[in-house]
Amino acid sequence: MNVAVLGETKPGETRVALIPSTVRELAKIGCDVTVASGAGLGSHFADEEYKEAGATVVADAAAAMQGAEIVVKVQPPTDEEIEGLPNGVVLVSLLSPLTEPELVSRLGKAGVTAFALELIPRITRAQSMDVLSSQATVAGYKAVLMGADALSKFLPMFMTAAGTIRPGKVLILGAGVAGLQAIATARRLCAKVAAFDVRPEVKEQIESLGASFLETEHDVTAEGEGGYAKELSEEQHQRELELIAAHIADTDLVVTTAQIPGRPAPRLITEGMVDSMRPGSVIVDLAAASGGNCAGAVDGETVIRNGVKIIGPANLPAGIPVHASQMFAKNVATLLKEFVTEGELSLDFEDEVIAGTCVTHGGEVRHGPTKERLGIA
Ligand code: NAD
């Protein structure tokens, strides 16, 4: 089976969908991998390393796609890339299917069998294929480092001859994969960490990492399906805002990670709350690309309001490309193993992972069932 790895063309994207060690892994199940020259350079994987792993390196994406049965990428394909995809080819990449329906229908019309990595079902068997989890781990870690760097203070406590420095206070809103990693990272920096999430079962996870859970006597819980949250009622949302407002003024660094699949991010920090914080404090909003948890957050920019830095980091995983690519590639390779029987491409559409992740096949858009699964009309 021929697998093509394309280079990424989106500005700032440094990751690559397969790295040399995964080329070796795929060779064992009968996959011949062709790599567009330079595809791994943003993650510091040279063409030579791909060749040593058994891949064929060709001049560019067009050459890599010739004769490919499967094409793998990190970012969704551009219009030009879609034009170059061979009819009937399998495409595996991020596709934002719930917010980019036009891209999905273009792929359908192009006769591509497209798999959206965002839709890997949240079942135990598929955990090792889940790029949302692996990349959220990277993002949660990096967000705290970025926030710590932007702060006007230390995070750890210091007892020195020049006096005692009290530990910094960190608040993490949303304690899913990214939020828990952010808590762990802030704790490694010895900050005093508090966190909140609308899924009550995460309280124990937050506490086991050495952080405190923001308690409220009101019901501010909203568990959805598949391990995700759903939207709070208006009244619950107001209660949550009151809870956050009561804590945020005394916080040095806030990292927000709250998301509802397929919906705009919940607004958790108002302008008034930002104004209540001390100048020099920092908010890192990981939901900036989907509307922002914090008022005034802009994706890819840092906005300063009354001396408080509001960072809306774009594509944080690209900031740690070696390990982000290593994890992404492992996820992709594990998924590809589901596609192959005795070295040949064979897709079993009865399989939960294949059915749940495939958005177009045979000229048709197939993502309806996934929308239902996520409770989206
Ligand atoms: P996500 O990125 O969709 O959301 C991030 C967090 O924001 C979630 O914890 C969510 O509860 C929280 N949130 C939403 N609205 C909020 C609000 N108003 N206030 C505060 N927090 C809010 O979620 P995620 O991190 O991708 O994953 C969520 C859960 O799914 C995790 O517990 C994770 O363990 C689980 N999961 C399971 C699998 C699997 O079984 N294969 C794989 C990945 C994740």
Side-chain angles (χ1 to χ4, degrees):
M1 192 173 70
N2 296 321
V3 180
V5 184
L6 307 192
E8 298 300 319
T9 52
K10 185 176 174 180
E13 183 54 82
T14 55
R15 294 170 293 173
V16 61
L18 287 177
I19 66 166
S21 62
T22 49
V23 170
R24 274 192 201 91
E25 245 182 77
L26 289 169
K28 288 184 195 149
I29 56 157
C31 293
D32 293 321
V33 179
T34 302
V35 181
S37 177
L41 283 183
S43 300
H44 311 293
F45 296 107
D47 287 353
E48 278 311 308
E49 292 175 78
Y50 281 101
K51 284 185 198 162
E52 281 163 23
T56 305
V57 177
V58 296
D60 52 24
M65 283 192 278
Q66 269 176 30
E69 292 165 274
I70 301 182
V71 171
V72 295
K73 277 193 91 258
V74 176
Q75 293 291 341
T78 59
D79 287 349
E80 203 185 331
E81 283 166 339
I82 294 176
E83 274 171 34
L85 287 169
N87 202 330
V89 80
V90 170
L91 171 73
V92 175
S93 74
L94 294 170
L95 292 175
S96 305
L98 302 179
T99 49
E100 301 287 343
E102 279 175 21
L103 170 66
V104 174
S105 69
R106 271 208 302 284
L107 288 166
K109 283 186 195 130
V112 174
T113 296
F115 286 85
L117 288 167
E118 295 91 340
L119 298 182
I120 294 284
R122 299 208 136 174
I123 55 173
T124 308
R125 176 166 72 91
Q127 270 177 344
S128 51
M129 309 168 197
D130 189 346
V131 300
L132 290 189
S133 287
S134 71
Q135 304 306 296
T137 300
V138 182
Y141 168 82
K142 184 75 176 175
V144 170
L145 298 190
M146 195 177 249
D149 188 44
L151 263 181
S152 314
K153 292 180 166 185
F154 290 123
L155 282 183
M157 184 175 116
F158 286 124
M159 294 175 77
T160 77
T164 296
I165 310 282
R166 284 188 299 166
K169 289 186 182 163
V170 175
L171 175 63
I172 311 288
L173 297 175
V177 180
L180 290 174
Q181 189 54 237
I183 293 170
T185 305
R187 290 290 302 135
R188 287 180 197 119
L189 289 171
C190 302
K192 209 172 161 205
V193 185
F196 184 70
D197 196 295
V198 291
R199 292 178 303 115
E201 80 261 20
V202 296
K203 176 178 189 287
E204 207 178 309
Q205 296 166 22
I206 289 169
E207 289 173 348
S208 74
L209 289 169
S212 59
F213 184 74
L214 293 192
E215 300 282 358
T216 166
E217 64 197 30
H218 302 288
D219 174 27
V220 185
T221 61
E223 282 182 278
E225 285 178 18
Y228 291 106
K230 59 181 185 191
E231 275 176 326
L232 292 170
S233 69
E234 190 43 45
E235 195 195 331
Q236 285 177 313
H237 184 224
Q238 284 308 320
R239 300 291 184 212
E240 181 177 18
L241 292 182
E242 286 163 18
L243 179 70
I244 295 168
H247 285 83
I248 204 164
D250 192 30
T251 300
D252 299 302
L253 169 61
V254 186
V255 176
T256 70
T257 75
Q259 301 269 9
I260 310 283
R263 308 282 309 152
R267 180 55 54 84
L268 304 181
I269 302 176
T270 61
E271 288 176 344
M273 289 188 212
V274 176
D275 293 344
S276 75
M277 294 176 76
R278 284 181 292 268
S281 303
V282 175
I283 298 168
V284 182
D285 188 344
L286 294 199
S290 46
N293 292 143
C294 178
V298 180
D299 187 31
E301 286 183 28
T302 296
V303 176
I304 301 181
R305 184 183 162 95
N306 282 341
V308 175
K309 284 185 194 151
I310 306 170
I311 305 175
N315 198 355
L316 275 180
I320 307 190
V322 172
H323 283 141
S325 295
Q326 181 181 319
M327 295 163 94
F328 194 102
K330 184 74 185 170
N331 297 144
V332 169
T334 311
L335 177 64
L336 294 189
K337 286 177 191 170
E338 301 286 319
F339 292 3
V340 184
T341 311
E342 292 175 4
E344 300 293 327
L345 178 64
S346 125
L347 297 173
D348 171 9
F349 285 100
E350 298 297 311
D351 179 86
E352 192 177 355
V353 173
I354 291 178
T357 314
C358 184
V359 289
T360 61
H361 179 62
E364 284 183 8
V365 174
R366 289 174 43 99
H367 63 298
T370 304
K371 280 188 150 188
E372 277 165 31
R373 184 167 61 80
L374 295 176
I376 296 158

